[in-house]
Amino acid sequence: MDGPAMVTQCGIPPGESHTYIYKLEQTGTFWIHGHDHHQNSDGLRTPLVVYDREYPPYEYTDDILFSVEDWYLEEFEERAKQTLDPSLPFPPPHGYGFGLIDGYNGNDTKPLHFEPGNTYRLRFVNMGALTTFQFTLPGHRMRVVEIDGVYTEPTEVDGLNIAPAQRYSVLIDAQKNMQFNYQYNITMYAEFLPHRQGLSPRVYMGDVIYDKNAPRKTIRSDAGRSHFRFADDITLAALDGEPAMPVDRNLEFSIGNNVYSTGQHLDHFNNITYAQPLVPTLYTALTMGKLAMDERVYGPQTHAVVLNHMEVVEITIHNPNTMPHPLHLHGHVFQVVEYGLAKAFFPIPDAFKDIPTVRYTGSCPSKRDTMLIPSMHYIKVRLRADNPGVWIFHCHLDIHHAMGMAMTFVEAPDVLQRTQRVPPRMVEFCRKLGFPVEGNAAGNSALDFTGLPTPPTIVARSPASTGRALTGRD
């Protein structure tokens, strides 16, 4: 159970508490956040670092954590209404959030204190609801060594673009003397927001101090130039050396936005817009016997896909939109094996027609749990179904998740029924909240979905998204 409401459990009722106990089998950089009513957007979030019990595979002098996040003037519920209320104009007006670094206004970002000759591990966690953060440190050598809790072969880069939910670790070599101080740059931006001086992008600078009396050496960042190297999934390699897994099954999805019979503009995977069931999907998997292998029992809007135990699945996601999407999968890391030009039911804009097909080039592909799919791209990833459970797969732009860009993988329900049970306290929580704890998505038997809302139908297919998104007012 990892927290998503009505996926693996009912929410924790007001005034109650619950203790999660995890067996830590993976080191690295993570974060904890609320997964009910998009509470993480309103601040229910914090970094989590799992340190190596013995020695990490790389040597460094100190370990420094940067958590970055966006912050808005209104709570998420108010901002969501601007997008989901069919009586209001769509898309909503542009707005611009503020950047927080380690919980403080980005303008108050902390200095780094470096000593000559040392190597520092900098960890980055983007806990934001919408925006990407870019990190550069001109004048210093930087190597990526971890992404999303998975060690990588050291790969030299000039900067990082960190999408919501993504994490990175880099090793940075200090200068060999104390002659100058330097500055690092953390820029908060979103490709779909129009440029507005001081608001989009927001640029935050921090000092790198070798000697408080030394002058600052200003080095122009080349981040906008063609030779500048940002970390790229397809050029990174997992340190464990696992080659690309042979594929047992292929799944293909397209994401986007449509106008539905509710009058709302909703997001989707393959035209299915996600809605929560009346029974947590995990509980359905545990209580429906052999029918748990039938995807239909999970309801028409959970978009459940049943995976067989230990099969290797290649998932292709097409993003025929002018907005990038960070898609996060719970319960797994996946191998990133290919990018290319997305398929679309409308003409691809000329600016995107030359997107090349790019495959991993190293001895083994990188692994991570959050993929950023660029505008008008597809991405192929592979995973082995070796973790029986129910795992939600969703866009980590929180408003898109709220608009229905989510689906579930029901993994090995036959194995689940032999090996797991729901803790009594979690059953009690559901009953306190008025939710059934067994049966199909509606709490009924077989394929009787009486009580579930009727799924909306598509009224109009949206062409390539204009890239406008809810962010809140200035």
PDB file of all heavy atoms in Angstrom, residues 30-33 43-48 67 125 127:
ATOM      1  N   PHE A  30      14.125  10.310  -2.841  1.00  0.00           N
ATOM      2  CA  PHE A  30      12.691  10.120  -3.045  1.00  0.00           C
ATOM      3  C   PHE A  30      11.940  11.292  -2.406  1.00  0.00           C
ATOM      4  O   PHE A  30      12.535  12.253  -1.940  1.00  0.00           O
ATOM      5  CB  PHE A  30      12.236   8.788  -2.419  1.00  0.00           C
ATOM      6  CG  PHE A  30      13.017   7.601  -2.897  1.00  0.00           C
ATOM      7  CD1 PHE A  30      14.145   7.160  -2.202  1.00  0.00           C
ATOM      8  CD2 PHE A  30      12.647   6.917  -4.041  1.00  0.00           C
ATOM      9  CE1 PHE A  30      14.884   6.071  -2.646  1.00  0.00           C
ATOM     10  CE2 PHE A  30      13.373   5.824  -4.488  1.00  0.00           C
ATOM     11  CZ  PHE A  30      14.493   5.407  -3.791  1.00  0.00           C
ATOM     12  N   TRP A  31      10.616  11.171  -2.357  1.00  0.00           N
ATOM     13  CA  TRP A  31       9.830  12.132  -1.592  1.00  0.00           C
ATOM     14  C   TRP A  31       8.517  11.480  -1.175  1.00  0.00           C
ATOM     15  O   TRP A  31       8.081  10.487  -1.746  1.00  0.00           O
ATOM     16  CB  TRP A  31       9.599  13.429  -2.362  1.00  0.00           C
ATOM     17  CG  TRP A  31       8.851  13.347  -3.670  1.00  0.00           C
ATOM     18  CD1 TRP A  31       9.154  12.560  -4.747  1.00  0.00           C
ATOM     19  CD2 TRP A  31       7.708  14.110  -4.062  1.00  0.00           C
ATOM     20  NE1 TRP A  31       8.270  12.786  -5.780  1.00  0.00           N
ATOM     21  CE2 TRP A  31       7.375  13.735  -5.394  1.00  0.00           C
ATOM     22  CE3 TRP A  31       6.937  15.095  -3.436  1.00  0.00           C
ATOM     23  CZ2 TRP A  31       6.296  14.296  -6.087  1.00  0.00           C
ATOM     24  CZ3 TRP A  31       5.874  15.652  -4.137  1.00  0.00           C
ATOM     25  CH2 TRP A  31       5.570  15.255  -5.439  1.00  0.00           C
ATOM     26  N   ILE A  32       7.924  12.015  -0.128  1.00  0.00           N
ATOM     27  CA  ILE A  32       6.649  11.547   0.398  1.00  0.00           C
ATOM     28  C   ILE A  32       5.632  12.651   0.174  1.00  0.00           C
ATOM     29  O   ILE A  32       5.921  13.823   0.427  1.00  0.00           O
ATOM     30  CB  ILE A  32       6.757  11.242   1.904  1.00  0.00           C
ATOM     31  CG1 ILE A  32       7.847  10.197   2.178  1.00  0.00           C
ATOM     32  CG2 ILE A  32       5.421  10.780   2.459  1.00  0.00           C
ATOM     33  CD1 ILE A  32       8.131  10.019   3.654  1.00  0.00           C
ATOM     34  N   HIS A  33       4.418  12.292  -0.269  1.00  0.00           N
ATOM     35  CA  HIS A  33       3.406  13.321  -0.463  1.00  0.00           C
ATOM     36  C   HIS A  33       2.014  12.732  -0.372  1.00  0.00           C
ATOM     37  O   HIS A  33       1.804  11.538  -0.572  1.00  0.00           O
ATOM     38  CB  HIS A  33       3.583  14.026  -1.819  1.00  0.00           C
ATOM     39  CG  HIS A  33       3.584  13.121  -3.008  1.00  0.00           C
ATOM     40  ND1 HIS A  33       4.686  12.388  -3.376  1.00  0.00           N
ATOM     41  CD2 HIS A  33       2.631  12.833  -3.922  1.00  0.00           C
ATOM     42  CE1 HIS A  33       4.423  11.689  -4.462  1.00  0.00           C
ATOM     43  NE2 HIS A  33       3.170  11.931  -4.815  1.00  0.00           N
ATOM     44  N   GLY A  43       1.061  21.515  -0.171  1.00  0.00           N
ATOM     45  CA  GLY A  43       2.181  21.472   0.760  1.00  0.00           C
ATOM     46  C   GLY A  43       2.367  20.200   1.537  1.00  0.00           C
ATOM     47  O   GLY A  43       3.320  20.106   2.324  1.00  0.00           O
ATOM     48  N   LEU A  44       1.503  19.186   1.350  1.00  0.00           N
ATOM     49  CA  LEU A  44       1.678  17.928   2.071  1.00  0.00           C
ATOM     50  C   LEU A  44       2.718  17.089   1.331  1.00  0.00           C
ATOM     51  O   LEU A  44       2.410  16.142   0.609  1.00  0.00           O
ATOM     52  CB  LEU A  44       0.348  17.179   2.183  1.00  0.00           C
ATOM     53  CG  LEU A  44       0.340  15.925   3.074  1.00  0.00           C
ATOM     54  CD1 LEU A  44       0.772  16.254   4.494  1.00  0.00           C
ATOM     55  CD2 LEU A  44      -1.031  15.267   3.068  1.00  0.00           C
ATOM     56  N   ARG A  45       3.976  17.437   1.515  1.00  0.00           N
ATOM     57  CA  ARG A  45       5.073  16.822   0.759  1.00  0.00           C
ATOM     58  C   ARG A  45       6.382  17.090   1.479  1.00  0.00           C
ATOM     59  O   ARG A  45       6.564  18.134   2.112  1.00  0.00           O
ATOM     60  CB  ARG A  45       5.114  17.378  -0.664  1.00  0.00           C
ATOM     61  CG  ARG A  45       5.186  18.903  -0.731  1.00  0.00           C
ATOM     62  CD  ARG A  45       4.801  19.431  -2.102  1.00  0.00           C
ATOM     63  NE  ARG A  45       4.933  20.889  -2.194  1.00  0.00           N
ATOM     64  CZ  ARG A  45       4.454  21.628  -3.178  1.00  0.00           C
ATOM     65  NH1 ARG A  45       3.826  21.052  -4.190  1.00  0.00           N
ATOM     66  NH2 ARG A  45       4.610  22.940  -3.202  1.00  0.00           N
ATOM     67  N   THR A  46       7.303  16.146   1.380  1.00  0.00           N
ATOM     68  CA  THR A  46       8.619  16.318   1.991  1.00  0.00           C
ATOM     69  C   THR A  46       9.600  15.366   1.327  1.00  0.00           C
ATOM     70  O   THR A  46       9.207  14.282   0.873  1.00  0.00           O
ATOM     71  CB  THR A  46       8.555  16.050   3.514  1.00  0.00           C
ATOM     72  OG1 THR A  46       9.789  16.439   4.131  1.00  0.00           O
ATOM     73  CG2 THR A  46       8.306  14.586   3.816  1.00  0.00           C
ATOM     74  N   PRO A  47      10.877  15.714   1.251  1.00  0.00           N
ATOM     75  CA  PRO A  47      11.867  14.804   0.670  1.00  0.00           C
ATOM     76  C   PRO A  47      12.107  13.598   1.573  1.00  0.00           C
ATOM     77  O   PRO A  47      11.902  13.646   2.792  1.00  0.00           O
ATOM     78  CB  PRO A  47      13.133  15.661   0.557  1.00  0.00           C
ATOM     79  CG  PRO A  47      12.691  17.068   0.750  1.00  0.00           C
ATOM     80  CD  PRO A  47      11.473  17.020   1.592  1.00  0.00           C
ATOM     81  N   LEU A  48      12.566  12.523   0.978  1.00  0.00           N
ATOM     82  CA  LEU A  48      12.980  11.320   1.696  1.00  0.00           C
ATOM     83  C   LEU A  48      14.261  10.814   1.044  1.00  0.00           C
ATOM     84  O   LEU A  48      14.277  10.536  -0.154  1.00  0.00           O
ATOM     85  CB  LEU A  48      11.898  10.240   1.627  1.00  0.00           C
ATOM     86  CG  LEU A  48      12.296   8.856   2.162  1.00  0.00           C
ATOM     87  CD1 LEU A  48      12.507   8.902   3.667  1.00  0.00           C
ATOM     88  CD2 LEU A  48      11.245   7.807   1.799  1.00  0.00           C
ATOM     89  N   SER A  67      15.485  20.548  -2.255  1.00  0.00           N
ATOM     90  CA  SER A  67      14.102  20.281  -2.629  1.00  0.00           C
ATOM     91  C   SER A  67      13.546  21.544  -3.260  1.00  0.00           C
ATOM     92  O   SER A  67      13.699  22.642  -2.720  1.00  0.00           O
ATOM     93  CB  SER A  67      13.269  19.874  -1.418  1.00  0.00           C
ATOM     94  OG  SER A  67      13.206  20.914  -0.459  1.00  0.00           O
ATOM     95  N   VAL A 125      15.201  17.150  -5.706  1.00  0.00           N
ATOM     96  CA  VAL A 125      13.855  16.585  -5.713  1.00  0.00           C
ATOM     97  C   VAL A 125      12.900  17.678  -6.171  1.00  0.00           C
ATOM     98  O   VAL A 125      12.816  18.731  -5.535  1.00  0.00           O
ATOM     99  CB  VAL A 125      13.421  16.114  -4.311  1.00  0.00           C
ATOM    100  CG1 VAL A 125      12.064  15.416  -4.384  1.00  0.00           C
ATOM    101  CG2 VAL A 125      14.459  15.216  -3.680  1.00  0.00           C
ATOM    102  N   MET A 127       9.366  18.629  -6.106  1.00  0.00           N
ATOM    103  CA  MET A 127       8.095  18.305  -5.464  1.00  0.00           C
ATOM    104  C   MET A 127       6.964  19.190  -5.993  1.00  0.00           C
ATOM    105  O   MET A 127       5.884  19.253  -5.403  1.00  0.00           O
ATOM    106  CB  MET A 127       8.215  18.455  -3.946  1.00  0.00           C
ATOM    107  CG  MET A 127       9.343  17.654  -3.326  1.00  0.00           C
ATOM    108  SD  MET A 127       9.305  17.603  -1.521  1.00  0.00           S
ATOM    109  CE  MET A 127       9.408  19.360  -1.113  1.00  0.00           C
TER     110      MET A 127
END
